[in-house]
Amino acid sequence: MAITKEQWAEIEEQLQDMFGRVELMLEGRKLTLEKRFVKENRLAILVFIDGSFNLGWGFPDMDSFDEFVQKVWRERTHSIHPPKERARIIKTFGKRAAKKHFPRLDEKLSFWTPDFSTAKSLRRKLQKLEGLEVVSIGYQSQTAET
């Protein structure tokens, strides 16, 4: 069943808290969204797939690449040659020679990371997915059975 507007509001509210947690299910895989420290004094929402994540899953050139992360992680791009270096190369060689000697001068690399800085950006990414289901919102208390 699709996630309702009220559930999205509850998910966003939970992930705006200091240490929010939400569990979702997509294509038989469990997604755990947790707010955690990623650097000193910096919080972000991390997307765990089946309880873990490997940064190698987000790099298409690696053997451990997992296409599923393209659906649930944030895409980032990085220039092969930063703008300052690109300008220096063009100034040194000229445009034609720079293109000849540096064929990948204007290319960018794409990769995916499991962190989102805000709950709204995460919602925009996940809201487009078909078949996304809520498992739980918030930390669930574990009752001991005797």
Side-chain angles (χ1 to χ4, degrees), residues 2 4 11 39 55 59 61 73 75 92 95 99 103 111 123 132 134 139 144:
T4 65
I11 288 169
K39 289 184 179 178
L55 292 177
F59 289 91
D61 298 338
W73 284 4
E75 183 176 14
T92 305
K95 278 190 177 182
K99 294 277 187 189
F111 56 97
R123 178 181 177 171
L132 190 64
V134 175
Y139 283 94

Side-chain angles (χ1 to χ4, degrees), residues 1-64:
M1 181 166 57
I3 299 176
T4 65
K5 198 178 235 185
E6 293 78 24
Q7 286 176 318
W8 276 119
E10 195 176 344
I11 288 169
E12 277 189 45
E13 184 180 329
Q14 176 68 28
L15 293 175
Q16 287 172 354
D17 287 345
M18 183 79 156
F19 295 103
R21 178 185 169 96
V22 175
E23 289 184 3
L24 305 171
M25 191 67 88
L26 178 67
E27 298 176 6
R29 297 182 85 172
K30 183 174 145 187
L31 302 176
T32 306
L33 316 175
E34 286 188 7
K35 192 130 183 208
R36 290 194 176 184
F37 281 101
V38 290
K39 289 184 179 178
E40 186 177 357
N41 297 325
R42 182 171 169 252
L43 286 168
I45 301 166
L46 297 176
V47 179
F48 294 89
I49 301 172
D50 295 327
S52 65
F53 71 83
N54 176 352
L55 292 177
W57 294 344
F59 289 91
D61 298 338
M62 297 189 75
D63 293 337
S64 60

Side-chain angles (χ1 to χ4, degrees), residues 89-132:
I89 290 170
I90 290 172
K91 185 176 182 180
T92 305
F93 291 99
K95 278 190 177 182
R96 282 189 184 170
K99 294 277 187 189
K100 182 180 177 184
H101 296 293
F102 297 90
R104 299 178 69 189
L105 187 65
D106 296 323
E107 281 189 34
K108 293 182 181 242
L109 300 174
S110 288
F111 56 97
W112 288 263
T113 59
D115 61 313
F116 289 83
S117 53
T118 65
K120 286 196 184 298
S121 63
L122 176 65
R123 178 181 177 171
R124 283 192 300 269
K125 176 75 175 181
L126 296 181
Q127 203 168 18
K128 301 171 189 171
L129 300 174
E130 294 290 326
L132 190 64

